[in-house]
Amino acid sequence: MLLLVRLVSFCHQGRETLACCWPGQEGVQVLPLVLPAITQIVAPAQIAAPLHRGGRLSRLLKRRAVGNNSNNKDGVSGNEMAHCESPGVYLPTEAKRSPADDWSDWTSFTLELEVHPTTGADGSSLSGSTGRRNKGPNHLCETLLGFVPGVTQSVDWHGEVSLRQRVIVDKLTPGGPLHQGFAHVQQGDWLEKLNGQNVTHRDLNDILSSINSREIVELNFRRRPTSNHSRNQETSGSGGSESSPPPPHGIFLLSQENVTEASAETADILYQSTSNATMASGGVMNPLLKWRGALVTLAHLMPQLTGSAPPSCSTVTLDGVVVHLVYIVEGSVLFLIGAPSIWCSHIELQMTAKQIASLLQFQYGSIRRALTEPRWADEIRRMVDTLFHWLQFGDGGGNRSAGNGSSVSPGGGDMSRPFNRLSNYFVTCGQWLPLPPESHLDVTLTLNQMEAIDYEDWDEEAISIQRCATITGSAVYCQGYLVASTMAGKRLEEIGTFLKWNQILEMSHRRRLSSLIIWREVFPAESLDGNRSFLVVVGSGHILLVAQLESGGVSQSWDNYPDTFLIEEMQFFLEELQYLDLETSCNQVLNGPQNPALVTNLSQIAESTSPISSSPESEMPTFSITPGSRPTMINYLSLDFGTGVFIAPTLLNAATKFTEQFQKTALTIHSLFQRTLKAKMDLQRPDWGGPWSDKSLVALQEVSVVFTVAEPPPNPSSGTKSTSVSECFWVTGRLFLSPVHRELYVCHQDGVAQDILDLAFHLAFGAVL
Amino acid sequence: MAYLTCQSLSGLPLFIRRKGDIPPLPFPLVASLNGVYTYTKTQGAELENTCSENTFVVWKEYHDTYMLCIVATDTSLTTVHLKHILDLVSHTMVFYLGLEELVNVKNIERLKKDLKVCYPLIDTILDGLNPKEDLEEFCDLTDYTDVLSCPERSTFEGILNCFAESVGTVFGCLRVRSKVAAATPNWWTLDSVELLQIQLLLSNERYDTGIDIPIYLPVRSPKIPFRLVQWKLTQNSDVCLLCGPTPSLADLEKEVKRFWRSAFALLKSAESCYPANIPSDITLDKNVLSYLVMNTEKRRSLSSLSPHTTSGDVHSHLTSVRKRDILRTFYKTIVGTMIDLPGSTQTGSEDSSQVSKEVFMNFEYYSLHALVSDVYLILVLYPSGLHNHYLRSITRTTLKILTHEKNCKW
């Protein structure tokens, strides 16, 4: 549910974007956000049918063009945004069916409340009724139930009409019945039923006014799952039931431009996260900003000290909480991300900040533009929520996991999904799923064909249209794994970051999409001046087809987009991928035997009797890196910095203690390798050997760390032989510099012979890509 | 390589030191460096450190009276080690001046002048960032006393105890090649900070005959000074004492002659243990190019950059200085981040069952192995090309020899 909301929300800004979402299996829902003229709805059956060239979508768009011609000519994006804000107009009729299961993850609770209609009780019916009339339609609800009703906000808008009418607790009346006796009703809760009867915003007043005497009503509320409540917190400012405030954190944008003595105190703050609510409610400044002057000074000071780069990270103690602050300088503005050390280490925060900065640049052109233009505010706020939620709960390990009850954390520590925390730090293109060679060939050929615009059945119309943009690269993700790409590592990284932070990968992994279309202007770091770039994502089922377009050059000047013809072509190739049974191939790899075979849990180590479970019905054989009847490999991670992808086991028992330890250790070793690389770069510089150079790690090739895990015996009562299962395991990281920079991390049991391991490094992993 | 600034919390600069061939720090930058800390503090936060790609800045406040700030550009450093350096510098200031003079400042100009006496030792501490060629000790890094293991140890201890008794003190030690070869039992009761300060001071003061200076013990006696007296016994060995105002230097000298004249041959023999720093009848695996063993219980460390007496070193491309730098970097890189010292409670408390006990680092030309066993941490430098499993067994054997061999007491 949340995933969809997130997806939609970032897509609905202005003309550049287009998003339609049909979550399959769960009823037809259409979000024609930027195509306001679409009034027709595509039934699931039609979606499943092959699309025709010059088909539905372009016909619809043409119709829109005719109907909204003036609108289009103006090109006022705000105009269309206004449409987006009132989507009731465009809502499809079919979607009126309310799919309750979409809200199934909301917890429901029931209250019984004695209501006292004022008319009956104190006899002042006249003044009461006039007052009621004067105070507007919500007054009844306020006096009887004790809360100000609100409608679901656009963020929560889900593409169906009934949602807009849901009665949401907007504000609790101070001293009201809910405020006193039922403090656990919170802002943002949804009043689903009253006396067992479904309540909508429209008929709430009628129902309430029918209550004429003192009686007990039954109220059914539903509450959003906790992971989602950050937004509610933000708007309410005082959630009431919240225990302690979170440790200081935030995202800030500071600039000294145009700041003079006469400027307001906060004139230098261009952006601060969670500012909207707090500034309005009481002007409480984020505690991290109180001494921002020091941070700005440091940003200027550090380069002068040693001729170094601007500062990357500061650590401060604030009321006993250690907080890391990461700096990113963009032109004249200073971008800061702060998070407490209990959430993440400074290395983790730096890596995250780097990704966020590049994501903002990719999506909005610059950090400054992203954070200061009001029209992105909603998107940014959600992104900030996602970011800090991820930092706080992203890791499933340790005591932090206690709060991780949510199922929607974007980087959850669940290693069985391709979105583990580790992947978020290193290479960002995505996790590579090695397909069987023939499948991979098919997919790559399809991509090539698509990029070549080598369409099989041109019709007259299509040939006459000159393309508006050329495809500069494309990629296919299946089940959230990258399976094919024609893009260079740098570009793919931007796209991977985009898909990951906007949770599109996660969504396509979790649910079958009927159809997904995203069209968005993007700002790649390496694009030519004057050319505009666009990102197109077309998805269905578990497959995402991504293409990056560039206007300019040979392509026609850009005046009318989204390019529906292109989107339809991409949908056609997506069909083709479906036809090639890509999903089945992926499933076979994902659900087939682990290759190489891995130790799945510690008891397996202890009980030396469990051999590799080779399922005979499977087509793919299992291989083990090490000889013997049972696996010794526990985990592996191959990072390819040339192509930007990583390879890791697709299925891993997340409960093993190894996973977290492996990730932590790999991160530590990775930072050592970073120093090695930097030292190697410094070697090339003419001023090498100066007082500032560090050469101690220049020749580092491999680092191994040995851990001892004392696991309680699997069955304490049974047997004396397994009294203490204390096992050594190794995490070995190796750095490869040729042909491209790669890092390989292997976690294996003690006792694997060195030459076997070497062989594994050189053959099994080297050959995968 | 590094700048160190010190200012009183009222904002007056006390001194600035720099290390390496770098220009002096312009005054506005010094002011800014100190200013950001003070400003942040007035806003209720404490700035701890800031790093950029290759520069670290660490601030720390001491005794509510002064603040030290270090700017260093060695990426093999971590803020933990820089903080440690600041601690050392602060201890040095107390060591020379006493806490009283630092805390109750009556005349700031006078204090500034007095602090000049600390400069050599502070510079030595900063030298630890990029040590001079002749430094072979690891004490500034490890906080532990560097020792030398020689067969004459028990004899020395006997002489030393009698000697100390005769001059009315309980603190005395005999140093051979700047490493402690024997000490009175009470010597080891001094805080490791104090032992470290004394060791640093002694290795810094290179007088021909010896020294007699007043010092404050930062932990045991920060306000009442002791006398630190040192005599050269031979070219490479000396004896030192901590004592009160009596006896006079002349009286002490008589006692030194009385006790140590007869030990001259023994001293010469003990000096022959260098550079292996272990009795010559103990031989280590030929692949051990250098090692550092730390006893975390006794807070001592034994190390050697050339553990083999025979000159037929195959791996001569690694000079002693290079080996020392490699070991120092290895130590700085792994301790506290990848491996925990035995008995340390600072880290690893989350899940003690998953503390790493061993780290291997394989470089193009050499390999390193660190192993924690019992109360010991051992770091060994090996030539490249050996399998980790082999290294592992050599390290274990080496550790056993160095800690359990009956000839090898330290």
Side-chain angles (χ1 to χ4, degrees):
Chain A
M1 177 54 227
L2 177 71
L3 303 172
L4 279 178
V5 170
R6 291 246 161 105
L7 167 71
V8 165
S9 60
F10 78 84
C11 292
H12 73 163
Q13 305 288 350
R15 302 181 62 214
E16 303 102 313
T17 54
L18 156 70
C20 308
C21 244
W22 291 274
Q25 297 175 342
E26 291 176 22
V28 189
Q29 292 140 32
V30 175
L31 306 178
L33 283 168
V34 192
L35 303 175
I38 297 184
T39 47
Q40 277 185 326
I41 254 336
V42 186
Q46 283 174 279
I47 294 166
L51 288 166
H52 302 292
R53 201 77 358 103
R56 225 171 24 251
L57 191 58
S58 47
R59 279 203 301 277
L60 289 174
L61 284 167
K62 263 178 221 153
R63 203 173 307 150
R64 179 191 79 160
V66 172
N68 284 18
N69 220 353
S70 58
N71 220 353
N72 255 349
K73 285 271 158 57
D74 293 335
V76 184
S77 59
N79 210 343
E80 291 189 338
M81 274 176 68
H83 285 304
C84 298
E85 292 304 314
S86 55
V89 185
Y90 320 110
L91 281 167
T93 44
E94 287 96 325
K96 277 198 174 163
R97 187 174 61 85
S98 157
D101 56 338
D102 271 347
W103 298 74
S104 55
D105 51 349
W106 286 49
T107 51
S108 93
F109 57 98
T110 307
L111 299 176
E112 287 188 350
L113 182 70
E114 194 180 358
V115 292
H116 309 260
T118 44
T119 42
D122 56 7
S124 60
S125 60
L126 188 69
S127 63
S129 58
T130 49
R132 199 184 297 175
R133 213 175 296 134
N134 290 345
K135 283 177 185 171
N138 292 338
H139 182 61
L140 257 182
C141 182
E142 275 178 62
T143 52
L144 288 180
L145 303 180
F147 69 85
V148 181
V151 289
T152 322
Q153 295 183 25
S154 59
V155 195
D156 305 323
W157 176 54
H158 187 235
E160 40 160 348
V161 74
S162 57
L163 266 185
R164 301 293 293 174
Q165 301 183 328
R166 284 197 167 138
V167 180
I168 301 292
V169 178
D170 194 35
K171 200 173 138 196
L172 291 171
T173 317
L178 288 180
H179 197 257
Q180 291 165 344
F182 302 95
H184 57 289
V185 174
Q186 287 175 8
Q187 186 202 33
D189 289 346
W190 160 36
L191 176 62
E192 187 186 23
K193 289 177 183 171
L194 201 153
N195 282 336
Q197 191 184 346
N198 279 326
V199 184
T200 66
H201 198 252
R202 203 175 294 155
D203 56 23
L204 175 68
N205 244 16
D206 295 338
I207 295 172
L208 288 178
S209 57
S210 70
I211 301 170
N212 289 320
S213 61
R214 190 183 268 247
E215 67 173 79
I216 291 175
V217 293
E218 190 189 88
L219 305 172
N220 288 68
F221 282 95
R222 284 205 172 214
R223 180 170 302 161
R224 203 185 279 265
T226 42
S227 66
N228 213 357
H229 75 170
S230 47
R231 184 181 153 70
N232 300 335
Q233 260 179 15
E234 213 175 284
T235 41
S236 67
S238 56
S241 68
E242 269 125 61
S243 49
S244 59
H249 64 275
I251 284 186
F252 317 103
L253 192 68
L254 306 177
S255 169
Q256 296 300 305
E257 277 175 354
N258 307 323
V259 176
T260 60
E261 293 286 318
S263 306
E265 198 200 337
T266 55
D268 57 329
I269 305 175
L270 296 184
Y271 172 82
Q272 61 164 315
S273 62
T274 69
S275 62
N276 298 342
T278 46
M279 291 302 267
S281 63
V284 183
M285 193 187 288
N286 191 309
L288 294 178
L289 280 181
K290 277 188 193 153
W291 30 271
R292 60 188 182 279
L295 299 173
V296 175
T297 310
L298 278 172
H300 289 120
L301 181 64
M302 291 288 282
Q304 296 177 46
L305 277 177
T306 53
S308 76
S312 48
C313 184
S314 278
T315 305
V316 292
T317 314
L318 200 67
D319 301 328
V321 182
V322 179
V323 181
H324 301 301
L325 278 151
V326 173
Y327 304 70
I328 286 170
V329 176
E330 185 193 74
S332 61
V333 295
L334 178 62
F335 176 57
L336 292 164
I337 297 186
S341 63
I342 47 167
W343 288 3
C344 56
S345 74
H346 70 99
I347 298 176
E348 290 169 342
L349 190 64
Q350 280 182 43
M351 290 172 128
T352 311
K354 222 165 137 188
Q355 280 187 38
I356 292 292
S358 72
L359 176 67
L360 290 177
Q361 277 156 358
F362 181 67
Q363 259 181 261
Y364 305 101
S366 75
I367 300 172
R368 185 185 186 137
R369 197 174 154 219
L371 295 183
T372 52
E373 290 194 16
R375 58 184 171 138
W376 311 127
D378 262 8
E379 285 183 40
I380 295 296
R381 195 178 56 231
R382 266 183 298 283
M383 188 158 93
V384 170
D385 281 354
T386 313
L387 167 70
F388 287 114
H389 186 269
W390 181 74
L391 284 175
Q392 192 174 0
F393 302 117
D395 195 330
N399 44 14
R400 277 181 267 175
S401 63
N404 194 9
S406 72
S407 56
V408 288
S409 68
D414 182 1
M415 271 290 279
S416 65
R417 291 183 293 119
F419 311 101
N420 60 73
R421 192 180 175 100
L422 192 65
S423 69
N424 288 300
Y425 292 133
F426 298 113
V427 283
T428 50
C429 299
Q431 180 167 358
W432 180 264
L433 188 70
L435 287 179
E438 60 275 21
S439 299
H440 185 244
L441 185 67
D442 284 341
V443 174
T444 314
L445 283 177
T446 310
L447 280 190
N448 287 341
Q449 209 176 14
M450 181 182 84
E451 288 185 20
I453 322 187
D454 182 13
Y455 304 147
E456 282 165 16
D457 48 344
W458 293 88
D459 61 14
E460 278 300 312
E461 191 190 17
I463 287 174
S464 63
I465 300 174
Q466 196 184 346
R467 296 266 60 80
C468 306
T470 36
I471 298 181
T472 53
S474 55
V476 179
Y477 289 82
C478 185
Q479 301 263 32
Y481 296 90
L482 180 68
V483 293
S485 155
T486 64
M487 265 181 276
K490 278 271 178 283
R491 294 213 152 180
L492 195 58
E493 255 174 51
E494 289 173 332
I495 286 171
T497 315
F498 174 87
L499 294 177
K500 185 184 75 197
W501 282 100
N502 287 298
Q503 305 196 333
I504 299 165
L505 281 186
E506 170 108 9
M507 183 176 65
S508 83
H509 174 70
R510 280 174 171 275
R511 38 175 79 210
R512 289 191 63 79
L513 303 163
S514 285
S515 180
L516 166 95
I517 302 170
I518 295 168
W519 176 285
R520 179 172 191 123
E521 177 157 17
V522 291
F523 306 87
E526 293 177 343
S527 70
L528 293 168
D529 285 345
N531 288 0
R532 298 175 69 181
S533 294
F534 298 88
L535 180 70
V536 190
V537 184
V538 175
S540 97
H542 287 296
I543 305 180
L544 293 176
L545 180 58
V546 186
Q548 191 162 5
L549 312 178
E550 203 166 287
S551 73
V554 291
S555 51
Q556 207 178 29
S557 71
W558 197 265
D559 57 349
N560 192 10
Y561 61 93
D563 186 342
T564 52
F565 184 83
L566 184 87
I567 290 173
E568 280 175 10
E569 282 306 327
M570 284 182 62
Q571 282 181 325
F572 171 75
F573 283 104
L574 190 65
E575 296 281 327
E576 188 131 325
L577 290 174
Q578 301 277 22
Y579 176 73
L580 288 171
D581 257 353
L582 176 59
E583 285 190 28
T584 320
S585 316
C586 283
N587 278 334
Q588 272 175 0
V589 177
L590 286 172
N591 300 325
Q594 288 267 342
N595 274 322
L598 296 179
V599 178
T600 48
N601 53 40
L602 258 185
S603 52
Q604 192 176 337
I605 300 174
E607 294 160 19
S608 53
T609 47
S610 62
I612 306 164
S613 55
S614 54
S615 41
E617 71 275 10
S618 169
E619 294 169 22
M620 276 173 291
T622 300
F623 64 85
S624 186
I625 297 283
T626 47
S629 59
R630 62 203 181 92
T632 47
M633 184 78 72
I634 296 166
N635 202 346
Y636 61 86
L637 173 71
S638 167
L639 306 168
D640 188 315
F641 291 86
T643 55
V645 299
F646 71 97
I647 300 176
T650 51
L651 289 167
L652 197 66
N653 186 359
T656 56
K657 285 183 174 181
F658 300 123
T659 306
E660 195 195 350
Q661 192 67 50
F662 175 66
Q663 299 202 0
K664 268 191 202 161
T665 312
L667 191 62
T668 313
I669 299 175
H670 173 73
S671 55
L672 286 181
F673 286 153
Q674 288 300 106
R675 278 163 54 188
T676 302
L677 288 172
K678 195 178 165 297
K680 282 197 193 289
M681 299 258 280
D682 286 350
L683 270 181
Q684 324 254 315
R685 285 187 4 208
D687 59 340
W688 184 79
W692 313 110
S693 45
D694 164 39
K695 53 184 187 296
S696 48
L697 290 175
V698 74
L700 185 61
Q701 289 174 324
E702 184 183 295
V703 179
S704 307
V705 184
V706 187
F707 292 93
T708 312
V709 174
E711 184 99 330
N715 300 316
S717 55
S718 77
T720 49
K721 56 173 183 175
S722 62
T723 41
S724 67
V725 186
S726 174
E727 275 294 330
C728 274
F729 70 98
W730 294 55
V731 179
T732 301
R734 202 175 273 195
L735 175 69
F736 298 90
L737 287 167
S738 63
V740 287
H741 170 201
R742 282 193 303 136
E743 284 169 25
L744 182 52
Y745 299 88
V746 173
C747 177
H748 61 85
Q749 259 180 273
D750 192 19
V752 176
Q754 180 90 17
D755 41 2
I756 296 287
L757 193 68
D758 277 343
L759 211 61
F761 274 117
H762 285 295
L763 293 177
F765 289 104
V768 167
L769 276 181
Chain B
M1 296 296 281
Y3 296 103
L4 177 85
T5 74
C6 176
Q7 75 157 2
S8 71
L9 283 188
S10 52
L12 290 164
L14 294 176
F15 64 84
I16 301 172
R17 304 304 302 162
R18 66 193 149 107
K19 153 92 179 121
D21 186 17
I22 46 174
L25 204 54
F27 183 73
L29 287 188
V30 181
S32 302
L33 265 183
N34 296 329
V36 284
Y37 177 84
T38 320
Y39 172 71
T40 319
K41 208 182 161 213
T42 61
Q43 301 295 323
E46 195 181 334
L47 191 57
E48 291 194 352
N49 61 64
T50 294
C51 60
S52 74
E53 205 182 314
N54 61 348
T55 308
F56 283 96
V57 185
V58 178
W59 294 265
K60 199 168 172 188
E61 201 182 301
Y62 293 90
H63 308 301
D64 290 326
T65 43
Y66 58 93
M67 184 263 285
L68 295 171
C69 167
I70 187 166
V71 181
T73 60
D74 182 346
T75 46
S76 67
L77 287 166
T78 62
T79 51
V80 178
H81 289 105
L82 287 174
K83 235 179 212 163
H84 179 228
I85 286 177
L86 291 185
D87 287 345
L88 285 183
V89 170
S90 174
H91 287 316
T92 304
M93 292 161 68
V94 177
F95 187 68
Y96 276 110
L97 301 185
L99 196 56
E100 204 68 31
E101 188 174 344
L102 286 171
V103 174
N104 302 319
V105 182
K106 293 185 186 77
N107 183 341
I108 195 89
E109 291 306 317
R110 165 106 191 262
L111 175 65
K112 275 195 200 174
K113 224 174 263 170
D114 288 349
L115 276 170
K116 281 188 182 157
V117 70
C118 308
Y119 288 177
L121 195 47
I122 290 173
D123 289 347
T124 307
I125 293 167
L126 291 180
D127 271 343
L129 292 169
N130 185 14
K132 286 184 205 148
E133 299 242 323
D134 56 350
L135 182 102
E136 289 178 354
E137 284 75 52
F138 292 88
C139 60
D140 60 317
L141 207 59
T142 61
D143 260 356
Y144 292 166
T145 306
D146 285 294
V147 297
L148 175 129
S149 172
C150 57
E152 299 82 4
R153 181 185 139 103
S154 52
T155 319
F156 287 147
E157 268 171 356
I159 301 173
L160 193 64
N161 283 334
C162 296
F163 168 63
E165 204 180 327
S166 79
V167 297
T169 179
V170 288
F171 305 109
C173 82
L174 173 75
R175 301 178 346 128
V176 173
R177 286 278 181 172
S178 301
K179 295 167 190 63
V180 173
T184 60
N186 275 39
W187 181 266
W188 296 115
T189 65
L190 292 171
D191 193 88
S192 53
V193 167
E194 294 159 352
L195 290 175
L196 175 60
Q197 289 293 340
I198 293 171
Q199 194 163 358
L200 287 173
L201 183 138
L202 292 180
S203 58
N204 216 34
E205 306 279 351
R206 295 183 187 260
Y207 297 110
D208 287 339
T209 51
I211 54 169
D212 181 5
I213 54 168
I215 56 152
Y216 296 82
L217 297 175
V219 176
R220 181 174 288 233
S221 164
K223 294 183 180 172
I224 300 160
F226 273 78
R227 263 168 83 203
L228 178 66
V229 195
Q230 179 212 23
W231 283 273
K232 287 253 163 168
L233 297 177
T234 69
Q235 184 62 34
N236 295 312
S237 50
D238 53 63
V239 62
C240 58
L241 295 171
L242 275 182
C243 55
T246 54
S248 70
L249 194 59
D251 291 344
L252 280 171
E253 204 166 350
K254 272 184 219 152
E255 294 298 301
V256 170
K257 280 181 182 151
R258 186 154 75 87
F259 279 96
W260 292 99
R261 186 177 309 196
S262 56
F264 193 76
L266 287 174
L267 284 171
K268 278 287 170 206
S269 145
E271 280 172 25
S272 69
C273 291
Y274 178 87
N277 298 340
I278 46 173
S280 51
D281 55 341
I282 295 177
T283 48
L284 300 176
D285 191 288
K286 64 174 175 17
N287 286 306
V288 176
L289 300 185
S290 65
Y291 66 89
L292 166 67
V293 192
M294 295 163 62
N295 183 333
T296 56
E297 200 176 56
K298 291 183 167 173
R299 295 174 300 149
R300 298 170 204 177
S301 71
L302 181 67
S303 63
S304 171
L305 301 175
S306 344
H308 304 291
T309 42
T310 50
S311 56
D313 194 347
V314 193
H315 307 280
S316 50
H317 64 278
L318 289 174
T319 60
S320 303
V321 177
R322 183 91 183 95
K323 287 184 200 167
R324 176 204 67 193
D325 287 346
I326 290 168
L327 276 186
R328 286 180 80 96
T329 304
F330 188 45
Y331 182 91
K332 282 191 279 189
T333 309
I334 62 161
V335 173
T337 53
M338 300 171 82
I339 209 165
D340 279 337
L341 286 177
S344 76
T345 49
Q346 298 156 342
T347 49
S349 52
E350 277 179 34
D351 192 352
S352 54
S353 68
Q354 289 190 27
V355 173
S356 157
K357 300 275 187 205
E358 270 182 274
V359 176
F360 293 90
M361 277 197 193
N362 301 322
F363 290 78
E364 218 169 322
Y365 308 112
Y366 53 90
S367 295
L368 289 160
H369 183 205
L371 172 71
V372 172
S373 171
D374 193 18
V375 296
Y376 299 103
L377 166 69
I378 181 168
L379 312 184
V380 191
L381 173 67
Y382 292 106
S384 63
L386 298 172
H387 285 174
N388 284 349
H389 293 291
Y390 185 42
L391 301 185
R392 217 179 177 193
S393 70
I394 302 177
T395 307
R396 292 218 165 116
T397 319
T398 307
L399 182 64
K400 197 155 187 218
I401 292 171
L402 291 175
T403 56
H404 287 88
E405 193 80 23
K406 67 177 187 299
N407 291 341
C408 191
K409 293 272 181 242
W410 50 284

